[in-house]
Amino acid sequence: MRAFEAVAQFGSFTAAAATLSISQSALSRHVISLEESIGRKLFERGHKAIQLTREGRVLLAGVAKGFDRIDQALQEISSQPGHHQRKLRINLPPSFATKLAVPLLTDFQRSFPDVVLEVSTPYGGPTTEFDVAVVYTRPTADEWVTDLLWEARPAILCHPDLVGRGSNNIAAFINANELVHVKIVETEPYHTWQRFVSQNGISGVTTARGVTFDTASFAIQYVLSGQGLALVDPILFRDEIENGRVVAPFDAHHYEGFGYYLKIDAEGLADPLMAGFRSWLISRFRNHNRDEGEKPVLRLVSSSDGA
């Protein structure tokens, strides 16, 4: 299994053998023996490269997860008394991490000082190597245990200096200013603005223009320079709104199911650390009503507030 995992990781028998400090021929025998024992090819061996077969990809996911569990168990039983530590790998969307990770994870580490946090912020969704993840997506049915943290309802945010230019009419205001788009994986670049215009019955507006950023945080940085209208969830930028650095000139938002969801492997619920972090994070979010006219608010609860 170690031989198979190493070859899959490096895409090379030579590199895998060097990593495991065994000969390439011995490594090949291990992989061939594994293929023969299960009756399936795990690799397509080309002239210059090798690739995992479908069966190989399925096995790799299970093997990687199994080795992680073994490593964690070994760390637990080998830790010295009074020095017990566990590692928790967390994937967060970039804008979520930028705006919320510091207060959240600082609070968590005060409550659980023996847990070592390893945080990554990959664009486009979580990597395969994580224990828990927050993802920006629509509701999905998959193998993960999924909990909604909050629904995203993007609204127009802009620099205060732009308010008053053009007209009080929302269509005229949009047409008079540059549009700032936030790229969402597997959607068209102008998707959110197009849906916003459609849902709010706004006509005579061209949305296929302007500048596109990978994250909402970059979009707001651009807006803070005095340029453009960003269509983002005000919850993430509560501080900028409250201190007047950006404003929401219109009481109009857009919703189509996107939100921030907490995902954890179903098997992870058997792990007290992962299950505990899931419960802890969910308890830190309190959904306030988004009634018409009420500013959406996200409340981060400190440890003293309880679960």
Side-chain angles (χ1 to χ4, degrees):
M1 289 296 183
R2 280 293 188 192
F4 161 72
E5 184 201 33
V7 176
Q9 178 183 355
F10 290 100
S12 163
F13 279 84
T14 302
T19 298
L20 297 178
S21 299
I22 61 174
S23 68
Q24 186 171 338
S25 60
L27 182 99
S28 297
R29 287 196 299 272
H30 283 308
V31 174
I32 292 171
S33 176
L34 178 60
E35 289 178 320
E36 290 177 346
S37 68
I38 62 177
R40 294 288 190 275
K41 287 182 63 177
L42 300 175
F43 296 102
E44 294 291 349
R45 296 162 173 81
H47 177 63
K48 293 184 178 180
I50 61 172
Q51 292 183 331
L52 284 164
T53 62
R54 184 187 68 82
E55 293 81 2
R57 290 192 296 272
V58 172
L59 181 60
L60 179 61
V63 167
K65 190 180 302 181
F67 283 142
D68 284 343
R69 297 287 189 270
I70 293 171
D71 288 340
Q72 288 179 356
L74 289 172
Q75 290 174 17
E76 285 189 33
I77 63 177
S78 62
S79 297
Q80 295 297 322
H83 296 83
H84 176 70
Q85 286 190 326
R86 282 287 308 276
K87 181 172 72 174
L88 186 66
R89 299 170 303 175
I90 306 170
N91 272 194
L92 301 175
S95 292
F96 181 102
T98 300
K99 304 302 296 183
L100 301 180
V102 171
L104 276 174
L105 299 183
T106 299
D107 189 20
F108 180 80
Q109 291 217 289
R110 280 199 299 264
S111 302
F112 305 94
D114 291 328
V115 177
V116 177
L117 298 179
E118 185 177 290
V119 181
S120 57
T121 59
Y123 174 75
T127 65
T128 56
E129 297 182 355
F130 68 90
D131 298 313
V132 294
V134 174
V135 297
Y136 183 75
T137 184
R138 292 187 180 99
T140 56
D142 53 30
E143 71 274 19
W144 303 100
V145 175
T146 304
D147 300 282
L148 175 65
L149 297 180
W150 84 86
E151 297 173 341
R153 295 180 181 267
I156 297 175
L157 297 185
C158 67
H159 194 280
D161 290 348
L162 296 186
V163 179
R165 294 184 188 178
S167 168
N168 290 329
N169 179 276
I170 190 170
F173 185 76
I174 293 172
N175 280 329
N177 289 283
E178 181 182 19
L179 299 188
V180 181
H181 306 272
V182 179
K183 185 177 180 181
I184 301 176
V185 175
E186 298 181 355
T187 65
E188 295 298 321
Y190 311 132
H191 173 85
T192 303
W193 269 103
Q194 290 170 345
R195 296 297 300 159
F196 173 83
V197 166
S198 175
Q199 280 193 4
N200 288 279
I202 303 169
S203 59
V205 169
T206 301
T207 57
R209 58 185 176 86
V211 59
T212 301
F213 292 95
D214 281 347
T215 70
S217 293
F218 285 146
I220 288 298
Q221 286 300 313
Y222 187 77
V223 166
L224 287 171
S225 71
Q227 303 295 316
L229 313 178
L231 195 57
V232 296
D233 192 336
I235 285 179
L236 282 180
F237 304 101
R238 179 184 60 185
D239 290 343
E240 287 83 352
I241 294 172
E242 290 181 348
N243 63 30
R245 298 177 69 200
V246 298
V247 296
F250 296 96
D251 183 20
H253 65 259
H254 155 63
Y255 176 68
E256 59 175 308
F258 279 100
Y260 287 89
Y261 291 83
L262 177 65
K263 287 184 174 285
I264 182 172
D265 188 340
E267 295 181 7
L269 291 179
D271 185 313
L273 174 58
M274 284 186 259
F277 181 83
R278 170 178 173 262
S279 298
W280 179 90
L281 186 60
I282 292 171
S283 76
R284 262 51 194 169
F285 289 85
R286 295 292 184 266
N287 294 322
H288 288 238
N289 293 328
R290 291 176 182 257
D291 296 333
E292 187 172 355
E294 179 183 357
K295 185 178 76 171
V297 175
L298 172 68
R299 176 169 177 251
L300 276 71
V301 187
S302 68
S303 298
S304 60
D305 292 331

